[in-house]
Amino acid sequence: MQAGKWFNTQELTGKKVIMYRCTSHTSFTFYSNAEIKYADTINADESSYKVPAILYGEKKQIDSLASKGFSISVLKSFPYFHTSKLNIKFISSKTRNAQLQTFELAEINKK
């Protein structure tokens, strides 16, 4: 929810966002006004995605693109937890942060 609402407040509204290696069941697709595309792989020599491109996905997945010939500029990071998978470690305030993933909106360019 946070990422989608933040996206709408930026001058990015109306731009295409590539959901990189993430499920279509995130709140970003519901709350944002972005045109959404999905990708499991992106290569620097691939012409199907125009760069610069805006990606949304898990931090470690987006960071992995640096080794594939992309420079990454993080627009904003967001804590993420799939609420339908609640567990005692998330419910406890002492262990909650360890259960969170970090998702990012990032712009990528070819190096």
Side-chain angles (χ1 to χ4, degrees), residues 88-100:
I88 195 68
K89 290 180 181 179
F90 180 77
I91 293 171
S92 171
S93 61
K94 294 178 182 177
T95 55
R96 181 174 301 137
N97 285 341
Q99 299 301 302
L100 296 174

Side-chain angles (χ1 to χ4, degrees), residues 57-99:
E58 193 175 350
K59 177 181 174 22
K60 66 182 177 182
Q61 299 293 338
I62 291 175
D63 288 350
S64 72
L65 292 172
S67 66
K68 294 182 179 180
F70 290 100
S71 62
I72 302 162
S73 175
V74 176
L75 303 174
K76 189 149 176 77
S77 297
F78 304 91
Y80 178 81
F81 184 83
H82 200 318
T83 56
S84 66
K85 296 183 179 182
L86 283 177
N87 59 42
I88 195 68
K89 290 180 181 179
F90 180 77
I91 293 171
S92 171
S93 61
K94 294 178 182 177
T95 55
R96 181 174 301 137
N97 285 341
Q99 299 301 302

